[in-house]
Amino acid sequence: MNVYVSVKKPGRERSAVEPAAFPLPDEFMEESPARTVGDLLDAVTAECLRRFSARHKPRQAGAEDGLLRVLSPEEAGRMAATGKISPGAILSGIGKNSRIPPLEEAQRNARRCYEDGLFALFVDGEEVAGPDASAPLDAPVRLREGSSVAFIRLAMLAGRMW
């Protein structure tokens, strides 16, 4: 089953958001028993981690075999579309002191961020919310083939009134 997760397009365009197809296990079909917010977070986190690992594995392998990796014309074109061509990310791997986290750690972090209110979850344009305007991780989520899912990062405002 595929759902479409809204993903911010890389670059300087602040309002550019594109839907990206995310495959989910068949247990998320509407006819199945209700899945929970936590299950959805785990499934989307696993897919994001898989995609991240696939993008960065060749870079890590290139560093291990001693070969110098250069930008391909396709990579340069993609970077040019964002307004900056930088071979630094490719030459240095993922980044200084960064690593690909284990799946369980990434899922635990995603759940903690949701519980802390760092992002809101919308399914087919409706916020997934419980009776107190926040959905616990065990709140049911109904998805169907082609559902639109959006994770909106919330900005914490702080300061004083003048």
Side-chain angles (χ1 to χ4, degrees):
M1 173 172 118
N2 279 328
V3 297
Y4 292 89
V5 177
S6 297
V7 178
K8 185 180 182 310
K9 182 179 175 184
R12 295 185 181 163
E13 302 172 33
R14 292 184 186 261
S15 62
V17 176
E18 296 179 345
F22 271 64
L24 291 179
D26 288 334
E27 297 91 52
F28 282 93
M29 291 298 286
E30 223 172 341
E31 299 82 32
S32 302
R35 304 308 296 180
T36 65
V37 170
D39 295 336
L40 179 60
L41 288 176
D42 288 348
V44 171
T45 301
E47 178 62 17
C48 287
L49 190 63
R50 185 195 65 74
R51 290 179 183 197
F52 181 81
S53 298
R55 280 194 318 264
H56 290 81
K57 193 167 289 249
R59 295 176 190 167
Q60 291 174 332
E64 290 170 4
D65 62 14
L67 296 177
L68 178 61
R69 189 158 183 293
V70 296
L71 289 173
S72 70
E74 295 80 23
E75 290 170 324
R78 256 192 325 249
M79 289 182 185
T82 67
K84 179 180 179 184
I85 299 176
S86 172
I90 289 176
L91 296 178
S92 64
I94 300 170
K96 293 181 181 175
N97 301 322
S98 61
R99 64 183 176 82
I100 298 174
L103 177 60
E104 296 77 26
E105 181 182 332
Q107 289 173 331
R108 191 171 46 250
N109 188 41
R111 286 172 169 256
R112 187 177 325 117
C113 289
Y114 182 77
E115 288 175 323
D116 289 346
L118 297 179
F119 62 90
L121 171 63
F122 291 82
V123 175
D124 293 328
E126 298 290 325
E127 185 174 9
V128 176
D132 62 349
S134 65
L137 289 172
D138 59 354
V141 175
R142 294 282 184 189
L143 296 172
R144 56 180 168 67
E145 181 72 33
S147 282
S148 171
V149 177
F151 297 95
I152 308 295
R153 184 175 57 181
L154 303 174
M156 302 300 160
L157 302 178
R160 309 190 280 214
M161 295 287 293
W162 293 97

